[in-house]
């Protein structure tokens, strides 16, 4: 069974701080990794994807992938109250299927 | 900006009834998906669809579920005989391409299905 593990949180950080979200996955054949943001009652919204080892930066977001350790993380710099949401880690295995983790709730305190 | 749309936003039905959830994927997308999310739980893959046939389905997608692309724009999920445990948010998604390492899916706003 291919799985994604995330700490459910909540992770609470003050406004302006760096939020660090982590995820591990079980399938060594996984090819692409995604971070989605989901506000309560809304659909997932893609914020980052990464498929090569190392770091990928996009604005305030940095995704980090370590395939040897089967670990992917998301850093959010200068966290804002509007970043408060559930962050879903997901991986794509190269078939027609994306596996999601249960998500980490992030709360940014103003 | 093109987006995936879904109707209805909320569907209430009696146990044992059939429901059809509708989706209009982004127009140039070729790959379509249904996911469900039971309240407070993870997003679960149901089925993917390409070239007018199912590409992959999960264990959840049993004989009571079916999908169809009845015309050039709509993509539907049918649940033949709903059960209480089918109550969930159902998300449709679409993607333009299916590369070897990359598959960006765009999600619709979801249909909340309540089975009484």
């Amino acid at each position: 069974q291919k799985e994604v593990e995330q700490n459910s949180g909540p992770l609470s950080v003050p406004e302006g701080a760096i939020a660090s979200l982590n995820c591990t996955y079980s399938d060594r054949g996984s090819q692409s990794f995604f971070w989605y943001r989901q506000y309560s009652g809304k659909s997932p919204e893609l914020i980052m994807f990464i498929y090569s080892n190392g770091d990928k930066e996009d604005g305030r977001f940095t995704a980090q992938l370590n395939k040897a350790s089967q670990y992917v993380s998301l850093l959010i710099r200068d966290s804002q109250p509007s970043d408060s949401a559930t962050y879903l880690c997901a991986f794509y295995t190269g078939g027609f299927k994306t596996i999601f983790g249960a998500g980490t709730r992030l709360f940014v305190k103003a | 900006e093109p987006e995936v749309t879904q109707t209805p936003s909320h569907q209430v039905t009696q146990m044992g009834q059939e429901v059809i959830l509708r989706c209009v994927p982004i127009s140039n997308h070729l790959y379509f998906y249904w996911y469900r999310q039971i309240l407070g739980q993870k997003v679960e893959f149901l089925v993917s669809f390409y070239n007018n046939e199912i590409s992959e389905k999960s264990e959840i997608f049993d004989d009571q579920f079916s999908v169809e692309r009845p015309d050039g724009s709509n993509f539907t999920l049918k649940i033949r005989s709903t059960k209480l445990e089918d109550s969930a948010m159902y998300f449709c998604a679409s993607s333009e391409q299916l590369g070897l390492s990359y598959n960006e899916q765009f999600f619709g706003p979801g249909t909340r299905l309540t089975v009484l």
Side-chain angles (χ1 to χ4, degrees):
Chain A
Q1 184 81 348
K2 298 171 183 176
E3 295 284 341
V4 179
E5 296 292 332
Q6 294 183 256
N7 186 324
S8 63
L11 172 66
S12 184
V13 300
E15 183 175 359
I18 295 175
S20 177
L21 305 161
N22 305 310
C23 169
T24 58
Y25 59 95
S26 62
D27 180 19
R28 286 195 173 273
S30 302
Q31 298 187 357
S32 304
F33 303 87
F34 303 86
W35 282 101
Y36 286 84
R37 177 174 62 200
Q38 187 176 31
Y39 293 111
S40 181
K42 301 296 184 183
S43 59
E45 173 194 7
L46 181 69
I47 52 174
M48 288 285 290
F49 73 91
I50 185 168
Y51 52 83
S52 298
N53 273 326
D55 295 359
K56 179 181 178 183
E57 187 174 317
D58 183 1
R60 295 188 296 113
F61 300 98
T62 299
Q64 300 172 317
L65 174 60
N66 184 326
K67 289 189 177 182
S69 300
Q70 295 177 247
Y71 175 90
V72 60
S73 65
L74 179 70
L75 300 177
I76 306 174
R77 288 180 298 281
D78 188 26
S79 296
Q80 301 297 310
S82 59
D83 294 327
S84 298
T86 297
Y87 288 80
L88 311 178
C89 174
F91 71 83
Y92 167 65
T93 63
F96 290 82
K97 188 173 180 178
T98 300
I99 307 294
F100 283 83
T104 299
R105 285 182 297 141
L106 172 67
F107 179 59
V108 181
K109 297 176 290 185
Chain B
E1 187 175 325
E3 59 183 18
V4 177
T5 59
Q6 290 185 243
T7 54
S9 57
H10 191 190
Q11 174 89 49
V12 181
T13 190
Q14 295 290 325
M15 189 170 55
Q17 295 297 302
E18 174 182 288
V19 295
I20 297 176
L21 310 182
R22 292 184 166 79
C23 167
V24 178
I26 294 172
S27 63
N28 64 331
H29 285 189
L30 301 176
Y31 304 87
F32 315 116
Y33 314 85
W34 283 103
Y35 295 84
R36 80 172 185 189
Q37 187 174 31
I38 296 170
L39 187 63
Q41 298 188 24
K42 66 172 70 174
V43 175
E44 299 175 290
F45 169 81
L46 291 178
V47 66
S48 57
F49 191 86
Y50 169 68
N51 200 25
N52 279 320
E53 59 183 30
I54 290 174
S55 306
E56 190 162 352
K57 59 184 181 180
S58 71
E59 317 77 57
I60 303 167
F61 195 88
D62 61 22
D63 291 345
Q64 72 161 340
F65 290 92
S66 62
V67 289
E68 191 177 35
R69 188 155 164 82
D71 53 43
S73 59
N74 289 284
F75 178 52
T76 62
L77 174 69
K78 181 192 289 186
I79 309 175
R80 286 190 185 80
S81 178
T82 50
K83 303 193 269 279
L84 294 176
E85 54 265 37
D86 293 327
S87 294
M89 182 74 93
Y90 288 81
F91 294 111
C92 173
S94 69
S95 62
E96 183 177 7
Q97 62 184 6
L98 196 71
L100 290 179
S101 60
Y102 172 53
N103 177 24
E104 180 177 1
Q105 297 178 28
F106 294 84
F107 282 73
T111 293
R112 179 166 298 284
L113 177 64
T114 302
V115 182
L116 303 176

